Amino acid sequence: MTSNKTIHIEQPTLFIVPTPIGNLGDITHRALEVLHSVDIIAAEDTRHTGKLLSHFNIQTRTFALHDHNEQQKAQVLVEKLLSGESIALVSDAGTPLISDPGYHLVSQCRQAGVNVVPLPGACAVITALSASGLPSDRFSFEGFLPAKSKGRKDKFLEIAKVERTCIFYESPHRITESLANMLEVLGPDREVVLARELTKTFETIQGLPLGELIEWIAEDDNRKRGEMVLLIHGHREAAVEGLPDEALRALGILVKELPLKKAAAMTAEIYNLKKNALYKWGLENLE
């Protein structure tokens, strides 16, 4: 995709511009137009962003805005906006502010009355969730896991009884230790999905009970490499009234497409169970 088109920006604006998380083809036409048209691109790493801009022949000047200088430099950019310039905010990959710099800048812009326009685009959290097979009606993004073992275990204890899908980023050099900590707290049966190298050549999305996932990763060192997203199935009450886990999982899948009564009847027939017991469980846990 190439675009040298510029757009007319009617008032000074801070644009929030997502960039690809791997595949350069995922950038949008609108993002390219904005990057061509603004006065400044505020980038987490100007060298990294420079490669993207060079690929798309974008000559706009860049301004470094990262975790270590944002609180000091945000006001400089706000003053530029108030003086009439427009700015695009980008991170190294994905949507700015999602575990990336930008919060202080956006907050100060809104307080100063500066126009803030977000563009939709790539985000590893949503990309991973959409293909994970885990419940997506309720989820929370928890950012990067803590660097220390105690912090990670405290975080897993915090979410142990949470019923929504929980999503974390993790670095490859800590993935083995993090999953070991997770195993201590959540046990081997919790369903976990590892999504790595999303949109790239070696993209992998693997979901298994945690104990099996740890074994699967240990089989091949390549499975420990790359950018990683961890998705953890929310807490589910233990099977009741003798209902096996696989039947409850099937019921949860069917009820997404069918009324609960029909889904319970079909599950009962498949697993030779009592329809009323499944229906009762569904009323208490799925609606």
Side-chain angles (χ1 to χ4, degrees):
M1 179 189 301
T2 58
S3 174
N4 292 319
K5 180 181 176 182
T6 59
I7 55 175
H8 175 64
I9 301 172
E10 295 185 355
Q11 60 177 309
T13 300
L14 174 69
F15 293 93
I16 314 299
V17 182
T19 55
I21 58 176
N23 189 322
L24 292 180
D26 291 333
I27 199 163
T28 67
H29 283 288
R30 187 181 176 204
L32 292 175
E33 291 171 358
V34 167
L35 294 174
H36 273 293
S37 304
V38 294
D39 300 294
I40 301 170
I41 297 171
E44 183 179 3
D45 183 333
T46 54
R47 290 171 298 179
H48 183 93
T49 297
K51 297 175 183 177
L52 176 74
L53 300 181
S54 176
H55 180 84
F56 289 108
N57 193 30
I58 296 170
Q59 306 297 323
T60 310
R61 73 183 190 273
T62 57
F63 181 103
L65 187 79
H66 46 73
D67 283 333
H68 303 296
N69 75 353
E70 184 185 357
Q71 292 193 51
Q72 293 75 34
K73 296 297 184 180
Q75 187 57 42
V76 174
L77 292 176
V78 171
E79 290 171 1
K80 290 181 180 295
L81 286 156
L82 292 173
S83 72
E85 296 187 272
S86 286
I87 297 173
L89 172 66
V90 302
S91 62
D92 287 349
T95 300
L97 280 80
I98 310 301
S99 279
D100 282 327
Y103 163 74
H104 296 288
L105 175 60
V106 172
S107 178
Q108 289 187 36
C109 282
R110 295 191 63 83
Q111 290 174 26
V114 172
N115 191 37
V116 178
V117 173
L119 276 62
C123 177
V125 176
I126 302 303
T127 303
L129 179 63
S130 69
S132 68
L134 299 186
S136 57
D137 54 336
R138 293 179 62 221
F139 65 92
S140 62
F141 173 55
E142 305 288 336
F144 279 94
L145 281 165
K148 303 291 187 180
S149 177
K150 183 182 184 305
R152 290 194 294 268
K153 285 191 277 190
D154 287 346
K155 175 58 71 172
F156 295 139
L157 282 169
E158 181 183 315
I159 68 162
K161 296 295 184 180
V162 167
E163 296 181 353
R164 63 186 178 272
T165 299
C166 292
I167 307 172
F168 295 91
Y169 287 159
E170 184 52 294
S171 62
H173 70 274
R174 285 201 300 260
I175 187 65
T176 300
E177 292 79 5
S178 290
L179 291 176
N181 295 149
M182 192 188 299
L183 183 67
E184 289 181 58
V185 177
L186 301 182
D189 298 325
R190 183 70 70 99
E191 188 176 356
V192 178
V193 174
L194 170 66
R196 55 177 291 275
E197 291 294 88
L198 290 170
T199 79
K200 301 177 185 177
T201 302
F202 298 106
E203 175 179 277
T204 306
I205 302 171
Q206 178 66 287
L208 290 167
L210 178 55
E212 295 178 32
L213 183 66
I214 290 172
E215 293 177 1
W216 178 82
I217 292 172
E219 291 170 2
D220 186 346
D221 280 344
N222 289 320
R223 295 170 182 171
K224 303 175 186 176
R225 296 177 179 172
E227 303 289 334
M228 296 185 172
V229 184
L230 283 172
L231 306 96
I232 304 171
H233 198 298
H235 173 70
R236 289 179 289 189
E237 295 295 336
V240 294
E241 301 180 46
L243 300 176
D245 284 341
E246 59 267 26
L248 299 180
R249 177 168 170 75
L251 178 61
I253 294 170
L254 288 172
V255 82
K256 294 178 182 178
E257 304 293 336
L258 299 169
L260 176 57
K261 191 172 183 179
K262 179 66 173 176
M266 290 182 66
T267 305
E269 184 174 347
I270 294 168
Y271 291 96
N272 194 28
L273 298 168
K274 293 182 178 179
K275 177 178 65 177
N276 288 343
L278 285 161
Y279 182 72
K280 180 176 181 292
W281 186 89
L283 286 175
E284 294 173 350
N285 294 277
L286 297 177
E287 294 192 343

